[in-house]
Amino acid sequence: MLRFFAKRIAGLIFTMLVVSFLVFMTFEFSPGSVARGALGQFASPLQLKLYEEQHGLDRPFFTRYASWLGVIPDHKSEFSGILQGDLGYSSLYKTDVNNFIWDRIATTGIITLVAFALIAPLSIILGVLAGMREGTRLDRTISVLSTITTSVPEFAMGAFLLTIFVVGLGVLPGTSPLEPSPAWSVGSQMVLPVLCLMAYYVGYLVRMVRASMVEVMMQPYIRTAVLKGMSFREVITKHAMRNALITPFTANTASTTTMLVKRKLSCSR
């Protein structure tokens, strides 16, 4: 067991190093330069050269990458490296990244937990309602809506919701700092990010629960329970739901949690 976890952790570290190197290399060879972006298009070559010398940008590529990781010290700046927990300086906010990123991660985590707490029960209810009466109008309606929501990317869903509720109706805020303000409460700030996340994942899980429910409803033990005189409600709650929910939630709970964490920042800001 320890060997298994050691291999997994080693693979994770290796993957993160490879990704960090590729990202660093992408910015290195992208058009333009850091000095030009910081000083503007009217900066002279001498100014650009001085800026690169002051910030260590004139050093070799691998030396700067090692300094960025924190493997070797950077004597030309106070930056200690990613491995030491220093995420650098934000030229946009004019402060260290550590000063504001943790608050945003906490905001993202809160929105994720609220969304996930609502996704599970709503998916069960809609999936069971659709699956226990296959082919009915209710089943077709839920299936069509779930297909539509899973077909729309989150960034498009976010823009769609913003257009309706922020620009059109003006009933919800367009940002979600989760801080009380005179105009918007914390609850109202959470509505759009949570809806943006739920739209995709509810539709995805509803389809899984429905498919599992339809399969269970065709099993011999369900017909046997009906022939024994059990009410339809007892058949659903005591037999069908118990077995129908095993497959979708065993297969998708972990993956859904991972995907939510990966995609929350864009929806919560």
Side-chain angles (χ1 to χ4, degrees), residues 194-216:
V194 171
L195 283 179
C196 181
L197 298 176
M198 289 179 60
Y200 176 85
Y201 294 103
V202 166
Y204 176 72
L205 288 178
V206 162
R207 294 168 64 186
M208 295 292 295
V209 174
R210 177 197 174 277
S212 183
M213 191 70 180
V214 170
E215 182 180 357
V216 168

Side-chain angles (χ1 to χ4, degrees), residues 110-153:
I110 293 172
I111 293 175
T112 301
L113 291 176
V114 173
F116 189 75
L118 296 174
I119 285 172
L122 187 59
S123 301
I124 293 174
I125 294 172
L126 295 178
V128 170
L129 288 175
M132 71 182 186
R133 297 189 181 277
E134 183 185 10
T136 62
R137 181 178 299 177
L138 178 62
D139 175 33
R140 292 194 296 270
T141 302
I142 294 176
S143 298
V144 169
L145 291 177
S146 62
T147 302
I148 292 174
T149 56
T150 53
S151 301
V152 179

Side-chain angles (χ1 to χ4, degrees), residues 1 5 8 10 25 39 43 61 89 91 97 101 127 143 155 173 188 201 211 241 244 246 262-263 266:
M1 182 64 69
F5 281 110
R8 293 293 184 180
M25 187 173 62
L39 299 180
F61 170 78
Y89 180 82
S91 58
V97 176
I101 192 172
S143 298
F155 67 88
S188 64
Y201 294 103
M241 282 184 59
I246 294 175
K262 288 181 179 179
R263 301 183 180 187
S266 60

